[in-house]
Amino acid sequence: MKRYIQVLKLFWTTAIAAELEYRLNFLIASLSSLGNLTGSLFGLFLFYRTGYTFQGWSWEEALVILGIFTLLQGVSATFLVPNLNRIVGHVQQGTLDFVLLKPISSQFWLSSRSISPWGMPDLIFGVVLIAYAGTQLGLELNNYLISAIPIFFGIMSLYSLWFMLGATSIWFVKIYNVTEVLRGLLEAGRFPMVAYPATYRFFFTFIVPVAFLTTVPAEAMLGRSQVVWLVGAGALALGLLFLSSIFWRFALRFYTSASS
């Protein structure tokens, strides 16, 4: 474990040093994140401006959902996109050979080799939005601490799904569209699940677990989540993480190296 922590520190130090050579990108990323957040707020405002509310969700409570969604976008841009989107490139160029020869877990290497500071604006905006909504709702520190658990589980689930999609590039090299479809489906998480018809709620809960990314953590933060949903979020996250490891080892059995 100590060795992996040292390797991770080296990975992220060099990645940040390389990214900071283009500091103007931070300003561009900030403006892009601000624009996306403004658009999301405007879209949510269109529902609430006439007094309409999603069943059981006030304006401030809906902002909690949006804040968690923005936070997850920041996590994705910072940790997932810089790594998992490159798996396809490693397969195409044959550089996956060098990864497999390294004396550490190939899944760890592929999942943590790089980090992008350009996702920080989304992280900051997400935290600010959650803090603002929480202040309006009178939430206490315990509310935030409790919600951190399902948020962490949501990040694990998102990572596992993304990694397994990336692993399919061993069979299907051109899978960029598939990952974009996943990201498009995850956009549904910016609204409470009650905003969708029953069929869509079932799909976004049990087929593509979007509900466990935003709605379940938000309900935990608001103090009205049932224990079964929190346990389900943990079981789903651990199950998907375990499945991603098994699926990766299975996929490698079909990998033909560039040197063979």
Side-chain angles (χ1 to χ4, degrees):
M1 179 62 69
K2 182 179 179 180
R3 180 169 63 120
Y4 277 85
I5 293 175
Q6 291 175 340
V7 170
L8 188 64
K9 181 180 178 181
L10 179 62
F11 280 169
W12 288 2
T13 300
T14 54
I16 291 175
E19 291 287 351
L20 289 180
E21 293 181 6
Y22 309 96
R23 298 179 184 178
L24 183 61
N25 286 355
F26 185 80
L27 177 60
I28 297 174
S30 299
L31 293 175
S32 176
S33 298
L34 183 60
N36 288 334
L37 180 58
T38 302
S40 297
L41 285 170
F42 179 71
L44 190 62
F45 172 74
L46 291 178
F47 286 101
Y48 282 84
R49 65 186 179 87
T50 59
Y52 170 84
T53 61
F54 296 129
Q55 183 180 359
W57 292 84
S58 66
W59 166 254
E60 290 79 10
E61 291 170 342
L63 288 182
V64 171
I65 290 272
L66 183 56
I68 294 175
F69 174 80
T70 305
L71 186 68
L72 289 178
Q73 277 193 319
V75 171
S76 298
T78 304
F79 300 102
L80 302 185
V81 173
N83 293 293
L84 304 187
N85 281 6
R86 294 180 179 177
I87 296 177
V88 180
H90 286 300
V91 175
Q92 287 179 327
Q93 300 167 19
T95 52
L96 183 60
D97 293 12
F98 303 107
V99 176
L100 298 177
L101 290 173
K102 298 182 185 300
I104 59 174
S105 166
S106 57
Q107 182 172 354
F108 172 81
W109 196 99
L110 292 169
S111 303
S112 61
R113 176 61 184 87
S114 186
I115 187 174
S116 173
W118 316 133
M120 291 301 296
D122 275 333
L123 290 173
I124 295 172
F125 292 148
V127 170
V128 169
L129 191 56
I130 292 171
Y132 169 77
T135 300
Q136 298 298 311
L137 293 168
L139 300 183
E140 299 179 352
L141 179 60
N142 289 339
N143 296 94
Y144 298 110
L145 294 178
I146 292 173
S147 67
I149 298 173
I151 289 175
F152 177 72
F153 287 150
I155 293 172
M156 285 177 58
S157 298
L158 180 59
Y159 157 76
S160 301
L161 289 172
W162 208 319
F163 184 83
M164 284 189 285
L165 281 179
T168 61
S169 62
I170 290 179
W171 295 283
F172 314 105
V173 178
K174 296 182 179 180
I175 63 160
Y176 290 109
N177 291 338
V178 178
T179 57
E180 288 303 315
V181 169
L182 175 63
R183 294 178 67 177
L185 290 173
L186 296 177
E187 290 288 323
R190 69 176 69 242
F191 301 120
M193 284 296 104
V194 295
Y196 302 100
T199 303
Y200 289 95
R201 290 202 298 269
F202 179 86
F203 179 80
F204 288 131
T205 302
F206 300 105
I207 307 301
V208 180
V210 176
F212 290 97
L213 302 183
T214 56
T215 299
V216 171
E219 289 181 334
M221 186 179 296
L222 297 172
R224 63 191 193 197
S225 178
Q226 299 178 3
V227 176
V228 65
W229 287 107
L230 298 179
V231 174
L236 176 67
L238 294 175
L240 286 175
L241 185 63
F242 180 69
L243 182 61
S244 70
S245 178
I246 293 178
F247 185 74
W248 176 243
R249 291 197 295 269
F250 172 75
L252 288 179
R253 294 169 55 186
F254 298 86
Y255 174 66
T256 303
S257 69
S259 59
S260 63

